[in-house]
Amino acid sequence: ISSTLFQEGGGFGGQPMPKSAVVIPDAAPDVVLDDYISPTQNVLYRLTGDTNLVHVDPEFAKSRGFDRVFMQGLCSFGFACRMAIQGLIPGEPERMTRISAQMRSILYMDTPIQLLLWRTAPGKACFRLTDRNTGAAILDRGVFECQGLRSDPDLSIFSAWPLSNHSPSRNAGPIPERPVLREARKRPSSRSCIGSVWEGALGTAASRCPHAA
């Protein structure tokens, strides 16, 4: 299965895309996570099969009306997904049941990014991915939904890892507390990754995990 985007082609007719009903709370986010897009992230992501030259060939990008090459939209979405998992359900991506977002702007390589997460309901949070250099939203009105979560008022957001998932050795001693989200707020991540392998059309992106009930 593949899809092709004809930039500024138009003329397809049909009903317009539905407008998002997601409202980002007018309050400080519950979780803030930082990451970095490396200078070669676009080339790494190309290994997934996205061979659009606009992401790697400066002259081709200029011929399409862009100042320079930029990140694949799916990779931006993949970073947001990975960061949300890190902040809400670390190490347990199978808990994710749905993620969606609206694409707002282009993301360039060699750029620090920040994910802002707000808890809106049990097992549900909304998010915004921003360019830390400019403050501009890259993805907005995002929704992240998970299953099997407990409330944790001490962290003011979703639960940390359940102890039942750990199998320490007989001599390992007591299982230490894992203040995952506290650490997420203090220590930005510097890792770079290829990202997810899913992309929606420009405007709205959404995915449903096959493991969801």
Side-chain angles (χ1 to χ4, degrees):
I1 300 174
S2 64
S3 61
T4 302
L5 172 66
F6 294 92
Q7 183 186 355
E8 300 180 355
F12 296 101
Q15 296 296 321
M17 292 289 291
K19 294 184 178 180
S20 173
V22 178
V23 177
I24 300 294
D26 185 15
D30 296 297
V31 178
V32 176
L33 294 166
D34 296 309
D35 212 326
Y36 170 70
I37 306 298
S38 76
T40 59
Q41 183 63 59
N42 58 325
V43 181
L44 287 173
Y45 189 78
R46 186 177 172 84
L47 297 175
T48 66
D50 187 337
T51 57
N52 192 335
L53 290 176
V54 76
H55 299 300
V56 294
D57 187 328
E59 294 304 318
F60 184 82
K62 290 179 180 179
S63 72
R64 304 307 298 167
F66 299 101
D67 294 334
R68 50 187 166 130
V69 298
F70 53 92
M71 285 304 308
Q72 298 87 343
L74 170 55
C75 193
S76 303
F77 189 75
F79 264 81
C81 180
R82 182 175 65 83
M83 294 169 74
I85 290 173
Q86 175 188 346
L88 301 177
I89 46 174
E92 299 178 291
E94 69 277 5
R95 287 189 175 191
M96 185 187 76
T97 57
R98 178 174 175 264
I99 181 170
S100 66
Q102 288 187 342
M103 183 174 289
R104 292 298 191 195
S105 62
I106 288 175
L107 175 61
Y108 293 101
M109 289 71 70
D110 192 22
T111 299
I113 57 175
Q114 187 170 80
L115 186 73
L116 312 175
L117 288 153
W118 291 263
R119 178 182 181 180
T120 57
K124 186 176 182 178
C126 58
F127 67 86
R128 175 182 292 142
L129 182 69
T130 65
D131 180 331
R132 289 194 65 192
N133 287 334
T134 65
I138 301 162
L139 301 176
D140 203 1
R141 294 189 175 185
V143 175
F144 186 91
E145 296 179 1
C146 327
Q147 61 181 359
L149 296 172
R150 304 184 307 274
S151 62
D152 189 342
D154 183 38
L155 295 181
S156 303
I157 190 66
F158 295 2
S159 65
W161 300 22
L163 296 181
S164 60
N165 281 2
H166 303 286
S167 300
S169 64
R170 181 174 300 177
N171 299 322
I175 300 174
E177 180 188 1
R178 295 196 172 198
V180 178
L181 301 183
R182 295 192 190 97
E183 290 300 316
R185 292 194 185 99
K186 292 178 181 178
R187 267 198 321 232
S189 169
S190 61
R191 293 180 300 168
S192 177
C193 74
I194 290 179
S196 178
V197 289
W198 184 95
E199 184 173 29
L202 288 177
T204 300
S207 177
R208 183 167 293 276
C209 175
H211 300 293

